[in-house]
Amino acid sequence: MSTEKQPAGRPRDTEAAGAIKAATLKLVRERGYGKVSIAAIAAEANVARQTLYNRWNTKANLVLDAVFEETAQYADTPQHDPNQSSKSQLERFLAQVFTHLTENGDPIRALIAAAQDDHAFRQVFSERFVKPREKMVTDLLRNAQNNGEIAPTRNVEMLSSFVHGAFWYALLNGDPVDNDLARNIAGEIFTHVPDRSV
Amino acid sequence: MSTEKQPAGRPRDTEAAGAIKAATLKLVRERGYGKVSIAAIAAEANVARQTLYNRWNTKANLVLDAVFEETAQYADTPQHDPNQSSKSQLERFLAQVFTHLTENGDPIRALIAAAQDDHAFRQVFSERFVKPREKMVTDLLRNAQNNGEIAPTRNVEMLSSFVHGAFWYALLNGDPVDNDLARNIAGEIFTHVPDRSV
DNA sequence: GTATTTATTAGACTGCGGTCTATAAAGATA
DNA sequence: TATCTTTATAGACCGCAGTCTAATAAATAC
């Protein structure tokens, strides 16, 4: 039991936040980010608009919470498995990320868009979405470089940028972000120049 | 003299379009896409809002025209120069694109954002901005592959995707899109695995 | 000349995200 | 019990993109 001393004043409705997030997720998946109004979300959650704004200050922040609360930790750094090539580890990791990305493609694209004219949101989005994924790939690639699966001359940060860039580019241009893309990216990152001496 | 037969009805004000585009460019560069209203642009151009909407149906389309009219052809495919390595050609080309991208970073990011919830605009933007640049890079890389500067096993379309993705990623995440990035991208695309047989 | 057609203008209007205010409700404190 | 503090609610309000209407202006067709 959490016997926190209750502060003065009317306590927050403990169910409101959950109801709002659920309503958000439902409506955004049904209609898409752009066609869902804050008023519609509040109505669906049986709550006044101001109650929603007491908890989230923008639509983007609300949707970010709604879409990512269960997936924050789901994309864990894959532990390095010495029985598996880094290439197939990267491919599997990307395939997993792309699944979530495709299921939530519309809101994620909308959030990237929202981040473009809202500096504060861009920070939040970067911390919660961009940087964690970037780090996982960079770690994996660095590991591969230490194992000799990537030539020591290569620039791992740039390669990581290639990986992320490739799927952002596909995502934002409406191209499919699927297993094929995962295979192609991993294949190209781990391509070796054929050994000319043989 | 173009003695086109004039159609019936009051002719369009021949100066309006230019004045609107000029006003758009001026205000967007001064204040940024998000802080310029259509009303402000119309006022700056001394024109009614409807006159503007007679020519462009959305803010995004207007800004696209204003920002890119002089640059549509400026980014020409660099002719293959046998005296220059493809690597340095790519670097020079990217540096040139990045210059324009940095000068107009705010509106371009805003246009990418606008494309995310406006399918029609995404098409237009893709035709006028995305695909031409993609083709130039793909052509350059294919040429390099034919010259033996890129191993024949490599997937040129994927490499092109890496190039574009890398700078979209940087652009949309607020990282600098500059000569350093151009050099790093070109360097990494044309990296050769050290020849182990020597 | 008159009729017709199209463009320009000013301004009303809608729906949106987001802010603000006034009132009522729910709890702690005294 | 009365007081204080915070939340919930309904609704007014703002600025914006985009649509629509009515009046007027500038051209052609007759």
Side-chain angles (χ1 to χ4, degrees), chain A residues 116-117, chain B residues 27-28 31-37 59 106-107 110:
Chain A
Q116 300 311 312
D117 69 339
Chain B
L27 294 183
V28 164
R31 308 181 195 168
Y33 184 96
K35 299 203 169 178
V36 174
S37 68
K59 184 176 172 182
D106 173 273

Side-chain angles (χ1 to χ4, degrees), chain A residues 109 113 116 122 130 134 153-155 158-159 162 164-166 168-169 172-174 184-185 188-189 191 194 197, chain B residues 109 113 116 122 130 134 154-155 158-159 161-162 164-166 168-169 172-174 184-185 188-189 191 197:
Chain A
R109 285 190 296 108
Q116 300 311 312
R122 182 147 79 189
V130 180
E134 192 170 275
T153 51
R154 305 209 76 180
N155 178 342
M158 200 66 236
L159 289 181
F162 284 171
H164 292 287
W168 276 55
Y169 190 64
L172 297 178
N173 284 293
N184 284 334
I185 291 177
E188 202 50 40
I189 290 288
T191 287
S197 67
Chain B
R109 286 190 296 108
Q116 299 309 312
R122 183 146 80 189
V130 179
E134 193 169 274
R154 306 211 75 179
N155 178 341
M158 199 69 237
L159 289 181
S161 215
F162 284 171
H164 292 287
W168 277 53
Y169 191 65
L172 297 178
N173 284 292
N184 285 332
I185 291 177
E188 202 51 39
I189 290 288
T191 287
S197 66

Side-chain angles (χ1 to χ4, degrees), chain A residues 4-81:
Chain A
E4 285 289 320
K5 191 174 139 206
Q6 185 160 335
R10 175 174 177 170
R12 286 199 165 186
D13 180 336
T14 55
E15 312 207 343
I20 293 168
K21 281 189 282 190
T24 302
L25 210 48
K26 172 172 185 277
L27 294 183
V28 165
R29 288 199 168 133
E30 280 175 9
R31 308 182 196 167
Y33 184 96
K35 298 202 170 177
V36 175
S37 68
I38 292 288
I41 292 172
E44 174 80 20
N46 280 311
V47 138
R49 261 180 18 264
Q50 186 56 48
T51 299
L52 186 156
Y53 278 110
N54 282 344
R55 290 162 176 77
W56 294 275
N57 62 345
T58 62
K59 183 177 174 180
N61 274 303
L62 166 58
V63 172
L64 180 63
D65 262 13
V67 172
F68 283 99
E69 70 171 347
E70 88 278 17
T71 358
Q73 72 284 17
Y74 126 63
D76 262 339
T77 310
Q79 275 308 325
H80 177 67
D81 176 354

Side-chain angles (χ1 to χ4, degrees), chain B residues 80-101:
Chain B
H80 178 68
D81 175 354
N83 294 325
Q84 231 187 1
S85 70
S86 290
K87 174 178 169 180
S88 74
Q89 281 182 59
L90 176 61
E91 180 178 336
R92 275 209 355 220
F93 172 73
L94 290 179
Q96 179 185 342
V97 170
F98 292 0
T99 297
H100 182 248
L101 221 51

